[in-house]
Amino acid sequence: MSVLDGRLLNSASVWASTKEDLVALYKCAYTGAVTVRTSLLNGFAHDDSTHQYCFFDAGSMDFFHKDIYTTEAQSRLEVERVSSLNTLGYSPVALKDYIDIVKSIGQETGGKPVIFSVTGTVPEIVECYHLLALEVERDGLEWMMEVNLSCPNIDGKPPPAYSKSQLLQYLAGLQTATLSASTMKIGIKTPPYTYQGQFDDLIDALLETTSGGSSCPISFITATNTLGSSLVLDVANNCPAICSPNSSGIGGLAGAALHPLALGNVRTIRRMLDKHVELGDISIVGVGGVSDGAGYHRMRNAGAAAVGIGTALGSYGIDIFEKILNEATALSENKGEGK
């Protein structure tokens, strides 16, 4: 059984970037774990003028930027319907700095499972693993590493998890790294898959790591990241709603508009994992458009062991976790009473 089973947590997003963000997530009584925004060994060159996000209603396509997301805007965008678009990359904070931040928060607030989301080349990911595993083994920390292979917003670098050959390179690197017998769990974050061949490549790559009696190095899959090639238009000004490094305003779609696809990914991956005894113990963290108790139950029913929250955290704030769990509990009680 995964340490994450049944837990509600945040996904790796811009709303888990700063120490203040992470402290709030740590202190929230309704988060079962905390995920740190995806980082690199040396940080990402973030630029506010081109790395942006907005919230929007997928029905009306009304949108709001973060700096004008007011109480009036929130009343027009019900949290259950909120979607988001972003042209963000990764965190400007380096992994080593996040390690120091999380250690200091843990000392101040007490322990909680933490997922460090990381990315980079295969050698860089291996180095990330060794940095984190050293802390885990030395201090007995409940830390995990999520390898983000799915960001759609990096020009010239398509998500590696869309390529079986690239997936195999990362898995081989991780398999070699884990020969040190560290107890730290490793996961991968996948992009939204849209046809069967993509799911087949994922499962085939995972299975190849088990040849010759070896164990798969992956303990969990976070499904799913944002859907690339998406656009929100500012019709009044005849331009994209947000900027991007290549000036197109095209970025990654998340929130309510992604929810059906995220559910389909979780269901498909879960069923395919369960067909292979070598992969059956891999858990899924379901991410994509959950903003209420019903969405939490849908994601769990699709096969997610845990549920991650991104857009709803950004649009509603830290209280979203209490809202979701209270609604989920009420729905479970009503179902149990036959209401």
Side-chain angles (χ1 to χ4, degrees):
M1 179 177 289
S2 167
V3 69
L4 295 174
D5 277 357
R7 295 180 189 249
L8 184 67
L9 58 149
N10 66 296
S11 61
S13 71
V14 65
W15 304 292
S17 298
T18 66
K19 182 174 182 178
E20 291 72 23
D21 294 335
L22 297 173
V23 166
L25 289 163
Y26 247 94
K27 288 185 174 181
C28 177
Y30 298 90
T31 56
V34 174
T35 305
V36 180
R37 185 181 179 186
T38 302
S39 62
L40 298 153
L41 281 173
N42 298 308
F44 179 79
H46 176 84
D47 183 345
D48 281 338
S49 68
T50 57
H51 297 116
Q52 302 180 351
Y53 64 84
C54 68
F55 302 106
F56 70 96
D57 185 309
S60 67
M61 294 303 291
D62 287 342
F63 69 90
F64 298 92
H65 295 116
K66 60 177 181 178
D67 56 344
I68 58 170
Y69 194 69
T70 61
T71 302
E72 182 269 338
Q74 192 168 18
S75 70
R76 291 172 60 191
L77 286 179
E78 295 296 331
V79 67
E80 287 81 3
R81 297 199 307 265
V82 173
S83 300
S84 65
L85 183 78
N86 82 78
T87 55
L88 299 165
Y90 306 115
S91 178
V93 181
L95 175 61
K96 289 182 179 179
D97 294 326
Y98 271 137
I99 289 173
D100 291 339
I101 289 170
V102 171
K103 287 174 68 176
S104 70
I105 295 173
Q107 292 168 355
E108 297 167 6
T109 63
K112 230 175 210 185
V114 179
I115 299 174
F116 286 83
S117 185
V118 300
T119 196
T121 64
V122 174
E124 289 169 344
I125 292 300
V126 171
E127 186 173 348
C128 290
Y129 173 82
H130 288 307
L131 284 172
L132 291 167
L134 177 64
E135 301 288 342
V136 169
E137 297 306 308
R138 184 177 61 202
D139 298 328
L141 300 168
E142 204 170 18
W143 288 2
M144 290 158 270
M145 184 177 83
E146 171 193 272
V147 184
N148 185 346
L149 301 177
S150 49
C151 179
N153 295 336
I154 310 300
D155 283 346
K157 295 182 180 180
Y162 280 131
S163 164
K164 181 181 176 181
S165 63
Q166 289 189 62
L167 261 175
L168 285 169
Q169 292 175 34
Y170 279 93
L171 293 173
L174 291 170
Q175 192 158 39
T176 300
T178 56
L179 293 176
S180 60
S182 170
T183 59
M184 187 177 70
K185 305 297 185 184
I186 302 173
I188 55 173
K189 188 171 188 178
T190 54
Y193 294 133
T194 58
Y195 61 91
Q196 186 59 43
Q198 294 174 322
F199 294 104
D200 292 338
D201 284 347
L202 170 65
I203 300 303
D204 288 347
L206 293 171
L207 282 172
E208 286 198 29
T209 68
T210 68
S211 62
S214 299
S215 297
C216 180
I218 301 305
S219 296
F220 65 94
I221 296 171
T222 303
T224 172
N225 206 331
T226 59
L227 179 65
S229 300
S230 301
L231 178 66
V232 174
L233 286 173
D234 180 349
V235 176
N237 295 300
N238 193 30
C239 65
I242 56 177
C243 297
S244 65
N246 63 10
S247 302
S248 69
I250 292 174
L253 172 71
L258 185 66
H259 189 56
L261 183 56
L263 289 174
N265 271 245
V266 170
R267 173 62 62 85
T268 303
I269 294 171
R270 181 70 270 157
R271 287 181 170 177
M272 294 181 73
L273 290 172
D274 289 342
K275 290 180 180 179
H276 304 280
V277 64
E278 308 96 320
L279 307 179
D281 289 337
I282 297 176
S283 298
I284 298 177
V285 179
V287 179
V290 173
S291 60
D292 58 14
Y296 173 86
H297 279 300
R298 284 192 295 270
M299 195 63 82
R300 294 276 283 150
N301 289 338
V307 178
I309 307 300
T311 296
L313 171 60
S315 61
Y316 195 86
I318 198 73
D319 291 341
I320 191 64
F321 296 101
E322 180 179 7
K323 173 183 182 292
I324 290 172
L325 285 185
N326 285 344
E327 290 178 1
T329 299
L331 287 169
S332 294
E333 291 174 349
N334 287 342
K335 184 177 180 181
E337 295 172 4
K339 295 181 180 178

